[in-house]
Amino acid sequence: MQKLQKKIFRARAPLRVSLAGGGTDIKSYFNTNKGAVLNFTISKYAYAEVKIIESLFIAKAIDLDIEVKVNISEHKNKNINGENLFLHWQTYKYMMGKHNNSQLLPAEISTYCDAPIGSGLGSSSTLVVCMVKIWSEILNAGLDEYQIAEAAYEIERNICKLEGGMQDHYSAAFGGVNFIEFENSKVVVHPLRIKNCFKSELESSLVLHYCGSSRDSSNIIRDQIKVTLDNNNDRIKFLHKLKEIAYEMKTHFLKGSISKIIELMNLGWSNKKETSQKINNKNIQERIDLAFKFGAKSIVPV
């Protein structure tokens, strides 16, 4: 790697809202059934800044008030999975291994996310995408959006063993409104060109509401994985229905049919909560009831 001229690098990646198909982006489902989701990114982000320093790798999560320092010479062939910020460390190790001949670059990375962990907006996946982006720039790796998403998925799901789907990495890497199809090892992202008037109406009609508590989505994913691995499990029909709704949602997004989208959002929620008993709870249901009481026409708990 050539000597770095720049000393500070910055990147950000957007968080996402999933409107349809969530759950069909789990690998155990789309390996045999094909999956499809429709999501869009919002003006909330994960951020990363890297400073080139000497001797150490330092990771800071500003929003969590956590800092980890690693002596590179001592940890060259070791993992620190049991320590804090292992996503930072494993992303760094992966990118150095793939794009810097496994030579660990002394650096300090600081991160911040606009949404708390467990918010349902794909914050951890978006953070990994953001870190892959910044290391790609620093190492002059030239990764495109697909490669960034693939690397982030590999790091979070396979190396760090965090359960979850695949849509978050692609939405964060591409940004915008996307219809994403998953089949075996193939992922195709279809950016949707929607009318400006429809986009404005959608933005003015949606309210993002935080329920006040975080949840561990891996418990829900494990529940859904059990469904996908059991051909006799009756709940898999709800995942099939969610995929159908995603395709239908795509059509009405392109047409700008707000009334039909509202109908599909409600239908999606009624099917999604059947895929795992852990999706809904008393707190969420109370917020849903209040929303409808005060005029909401549709809800999508994320």
Side-chain angles (χ1 to χ4, degrees):
M1 180 184 155
Q2 296 180 349
K3 187 176 180 181
L4 292 168
Q5 299 299 315
K6 231 174 127 180
K7 292 295 184 181
I8 299 178
F9 300 79
R10 296 182 180 91
R12 73 177 186 180
L15 300 168
R16 65 98 187 103
V17 171
S18 179
L19 278 191
T24 71
D25 61 320
I26 298 171
K27 207 163 192 176
S28 57
Y29 178 83
F30 67 72
N31 273 347
T32 55
N33 296 284
K34 189 176 180 179
V37 302
L38 190 150
N39 61 35
F40 59 84
T41 54
I42 60 176
S43 55
K44 297 290 182 182
Y45 302 89
Y47 305 87
E49 178 183 274
V50 169
K51 297 177 182 178
I52 306 305
I53 58 173
E54 300 290 336
S55 304
L56 299 173
F57 171 72
I58 302 174
K60 297 179 180 179
I62 296 170
D63 48 333
L64 302 176
D65 194 25
I66 298 174
E67 179 179 325
V68 171
K69 293 183 180 179
V70 178
N71 187 310
I72 288 176
S73 61
E74 293 177 4
H75 286 78
K76 185 175 181 179
N77 298 309
K78 296 180 182 179
N79 292 323
I80 59 169
N81 277 6
E83 299 181 34
N84 292 321
L85 305 187
F86 67 95
L87 278 175
H88 296 61
W89 172 249
Q90 290 297 355
T91 302
Y92 167 74
K93 284 263 289 185
Y94 177 90
M95 293 299 288
M96 295 299 150
K98 290 284 185 179
H99 304 289
N100 201 39
N101 297 317
S102 297
Q103 296 298 308
L104 302 185
L105 176 71
E108 176 185 306
I109 182 167
S110 301
T111 62
Y112 181 86
C113 190
D114 284 332
I117 296 171
S119 63
L121 300 175
S123 54
S124 62
S125 302
T126 302
L127 179 61
V128 179
V129 166
C130 183
M131 291 191 290
V132 170
K133 277 184 176 183
I134 202 166
W135 292 122
S136 175
E137 180 187 349
I138 291 168
L139 300 173
N140 198 27
L143 300 185
D144 63 24
E145 288 87 350
Y146 278 102
Q147 292 169 318
I148 288 170
E150 288 162 7
Y153 180 86
E154 174 67 17
I155 293 162
E156 185 180 17
R157 303 290 182 237
N158 297 329
I159 296 175
C160 295
K161 307 297 183 186
L162 296 179
E163 301 279 12
M166 195 175 276
Q167 66 165 307
D168 299 351
H169 310 88
Y170 287 85
S171 62
F174 280 82
V177 182
N178 294 299
F179 181 74
I180 311 174
E181 295 178 290
F182 308 88
E183 188 171 14
N184 296 321
S185 59
K186 186 179 179 182
V187 180
V188 180
V189 178
H190 306 275
L192 300 186
R193 296 180 64 183
I194 61 176
K195 300 173 184 176
N196 285 333
C197 58
F198 169 65
K199 181 180 178 182
S200 297
E201 185 174 358
L202 193 65
E203 288 178 343
S204 64
S205 300
L206 291 174
V207 175
L208 191 62
H209 173 68
Y210 180 48
C211 288
S213 61
S214 298
R215 62 177 182 175
D216 184 358
S217 61
S218 60
N219 289 329
I220 296 171
I221 298 296
R222 279 192 286 269
D223 228 21
Q224 292 176 326
I225 288 173
K226 289 178 184 177
V227 173
T228 64
L229 295 176
D230 182 2
N231 291 328
N232 297 317
N233 195 314
D234 193 48
R235 284 191 288 163
I236 199 167
K237 67 183 180 185
F238 297 108
L239 284 170
H240 296 334
K241 184 62 179 176
L242 288 172
K243 177 173 60 178
E244 291 175 18
I245 292 169
Y247 277 95
E248 201 172 346
M249 183 80 80
K250 174 193 173 186
T251 298
H252 292 289
F253 247 71
L254 293 172
K255 289 181 177 180
S257 306
I258 287 284
S259 59
K260 189 62 180 178
I261 289 169
I262 289 170
E263 179 186 325
L264 290 172
M265 287 167 66
N266 286 326
L267 183 60
W269 171 237
S270 66
N271 280 272
K272 187 174 180 67
K273 63 185 179 183
E274 296 296 333
T275 65
S276 170
Q277 294 179 348
K278 297 175 182 176
I279 286 178
N280 201 9
N281 59 43
K282 183 180 178 182
N283 183 35
I284 291 174
Q285 191 58 51
E286 286 177 351
R287 304 300 176 101
I288 291 171
D289 294 340
L290 277 172
F292 280 119
K293 179 181 177 181
F294 286 97
K297 295 179 179 179
S298 182
I299 48 90
V300 179
V302 293

